[in-house]
Amino acid sequence: MARARLGQWLSLLVCLLILLKAESHPVGITLVENAVAKGAVCLDGSAPAYHFDKGFGAGINNWLVHVEGGGWCNSVETCLDRKNNYRGSSNKMEKSMSFSGVLSNKQKFNPDFYNWNRIKVRYCDGSSFTGDVEAVNPATNLHFRGARVFRAIIDDLLAKGMKNAQSALLSGCSAGGLASILNCDNFRSLLPVGTKVKCLADAGYFINAKTVSGSQHIQAFYSEVVALHGSAKNLPASCTSKLSPGLCFFPQNVVPVTRTPIFLVNAAYDSWQIKNILAPGIADPKGAWKKCKLDIKNCSPSQLQTMQEYRLQFLGALSHASNSTTHGLFIDSCYAHCQIGTQETWLAADSPVLSKTTIGKAVGDWYTDRTPFQKIDCAYPCNPTCKNRVFDSDEQQD
């Protein structure tokens, strides 16, 4: 009996591996070596990097630049930790990455972008590509040069054909989704005047909310990131002219002054935000939220009520985007974080849907101007297509 069950599990595993292989494909790494001389480097001083899968057919002059996620570092100590892994050094990065979801090269899995030039930008600066500090402390050898890294990678892509782009989309997940918002107008300015340019932020709409203990944890954290990395001069001046630079790290203060169309894909109960903004360890010293944060099904009625209130705060912070005719919204009620880079959540038979529409179709309809898409899901647990998924990136957590 046990042997038969083991055989069934092995067969299932083989089928799953075959399916994953069909839905994704490996793409080699490209190091931007000439960026080093310009000081456009990762935290440890190594060259910036990206993975590039060339476009073909009708998509040969269309470009999708997707920014990897990975949190932020707000102190010398936390940046030193990153310097020793792939979050801060291209020397530590894998030589190839699997492309799927919005980066897939299969028409079935990614009908609107499959034949575009598709790039995954590696994230190694810890500031969502906003930092630029000239001085380097020889004791730590930390380089805070995220804005230079972003520019160097875009320049490298322009030289490889993006200067002839007819269409372009800057996207990103989590800290990369935030980068796609903060750099959206900047990206538009670096491309030819006639290029159709839009931006896509997946799980990048982090809101300025208090913790369960009432502290302003994320606001203080973002202010520390901005101060350490010297980000102020690279955040939108239309925001920093009115608010302190730390507040201009929050999308709710940047999207209203962004001119380029943006599509926001986000869970209203974003699992990273629940874990790190609403109930970070520092605000939950007794660990009352620990089981709830791991699985929303473990949450007590009072914890669910607190999360419902967080959802209302999140929707309030989205109000400008939902009032704009150029922006797009896909706000589901899944307990999830990052949904466009995974085939199962981007476009598959059992993907989350709003108005019977998958994320992949909604984004494609919006980008191509076939149909505007602005949908906000009903409150948890009303959407059965979520299936209590926890698609979480490997961002740092308290």
Side-chain angles (χ1 to χ4, degrees):
M1 183 72 174
R3 184 173 295 178
R5 189 174 294 132
L6 177 62
Q8 289 175 343
W9 275 109
L10 287 173
S11 297
L12 183 62
L13 181 61
V14 169
C15 290
L16 180 61
L17 290 172
I18 292 171
L19 180 64
L20 288 173
K21 187 173 182 181
E23 291 181 351
S24 63
H25 61 288
V27 178
I29 198 167
T30 297
L31 297 176
V32 189
E33 300 284 9
N34 63 4
V36 178
K38 305 171 191 173
V41 291
C42 298
L43 283 169
D44 72 334
S46 58
Y50 60 83
H51 300 256
F52 181 13
D53 200 20
K54 291 186 178 180
F56 55 92
I60 200 163
N61 288 317
N62 298 334
W63 295 73
L64 193 161
V65 180
H66 180 78
V67 184
E68 181 181 38
W72 311 269
C73 55
N74 64 328
S75 66
V76 169
E77 292 73 26
T78 55
C79 288
L80 282 173
D81 287 343
R82 295 169 76 96
K83 178 183 159 186
N84 296 316
N85 61 50
Y86 68 100
R87 293 296 189 210
S89 173
S90 60
N91 296 326
K92 308 288 186 180
M93 294 174 184
E94 53 269 66
K95 301 308 177 189
S96 71
M97 292 197 85
S98 291
F99 276 19
S100 64
V102 71
L103 293 172
S104 173
N105 65 351
K106 304 287 195 304
Q107 187 173 9
K108 175 184 176 182
F109 300 128
N110 190 25
D112 289 295
F113 308 108
Y114 75 99
N115 58 1
W116 287 32
N117 295 284
R118 285 154 290 104
I119 297 95
K120 185 164 190 174
V121 176
R122 300 308 300 271
Y123 178 45
C124 66
D125 72 281
S127 74
S128 286
F129 294 104
T130 61
D132 192 357
V133 176
E134 184 64 38
V136 178
N137 186 332
T140 62
N141 196 39
L142 284 171
H143 297 72
F144 302 113
R145 305 282 179 75
R148 292 194 207 182
V149 168
F150 183 79
R151 180 61 188 265
I153 288 175
I154 297 303
D155 284 347
D156 202 54
L157 294 174
L158 288 168
K160 289 181 176 175
M162 198 164 70
K163 65 179 182 295
N164 301 315
Q166 294 172 355
S167 298
L169 178 63
L170 176 65
S171 74
C173 148
S174 196
L178 177 60
S180 71
I181 293 172
L182 299 178
N183 287 285
C184 187
D185 282 344
N186 177 34
F187 178 69
R188 175 68 191 87
S189 72
L190 298 174
L191 289 162
V193 174
T195 308
K196 177 178 182 174
V197 181
K198 296 186 180 184
C199 301
L200 168 61
D202 176 19
Y205 207 90
F206 302 93
I207 68 167
N208 189 6
K210 292 181 180 179
T211 68
V212 288
S213 68
S215 62
Q216 295 277 11
H217 175 66
I218 192 65
Q219 182 175 308
F221 181 87
Y222 275 176
S223 293
E224 291 163 0
V225 171
V226 168
L228 179 67
H229 290 264
S231 301
K233 58 183 173 290
N234 296 308
L235 296 170
S238 50
C239 179
T240 55
S241 63
K242 300 170 186 174
L243 300 172
S244 65
L247 292 177
C248 293
F249 217 65
F250 288 100
Q252 66 201 75
N253 297 324
V254 174
V255 171
V257 294
T258 301
R259 299 181 302 277
T260 309
I262 300 176
F263 195 106
L264 303 171
V265 174
N266 229 103
Y269 309 86
D270 183 286
S271 56
W272 192 93
Q273 293 195 40
I274 298 298
K275 294 170 184 175
N276 296 276
I277 296 180
L278 179 64
I282 196 168
D284 182 34
K286 294 184 178 179
W289 279 78
K290 191 172 182 180
K291 289 184 178 179
C292 173
K293 290 192 293 185
L294 286 173
D295 189 336
I296 196 170
K297 289 182 292 185
N298 296 331
C299 299
S300 69
S302 64
Q303 287 171 332
L304 279 175
Q305 180 57 38
T306 301
M307 290 169 70
Q308 299 293 13
E309 291 166 4
Y310 188 86
R311 170 182 176 268
L312 294 177
Q313 286 186 70
F314 182 85
L315 297 184
L318 272 176
S319 58
H320 177 83
S322 59
N323 290 334
S324 167
T325 56
T326 61
H327 297 325
L329 294 175
F330 190 107
I331 310 299
D332 60 35
S333 288
C334 306
Y335 187 59
H337 185 68
C338 289
Q339 301 178 86
I340 71 172
T342 305
Q343 197 61 53
E344 188 178 2
T345 41
W346 170 250
L347 179 60
D350 62 345
S351 293
V353 297
L354 293 182
S355 297
K356 300 181 180 179
T357 306
T358 61
I359 295 171
K361 185 171 190 313
V363 172
D365 285 347
W366 166 82
Y367 185 89
T368 59
D369 300 314
R370 288 192 298 259
T371 313
F373 195 93
Q374 288 194 352
K375 302 292 181 184
I376 295 174
D377 208 352
C378 45
Y380 173 86
C382 71
N383 189 339
T385 66
C386 284
K387 299 175 184 173
N388 294 317
R389 305 164 189 266
V390 182
F391 294 103
D392 218 339
S393 74
D394 53 350
E395 303 244 349
Q396 92 268 6
Q397 295 171 5
D398 289 321

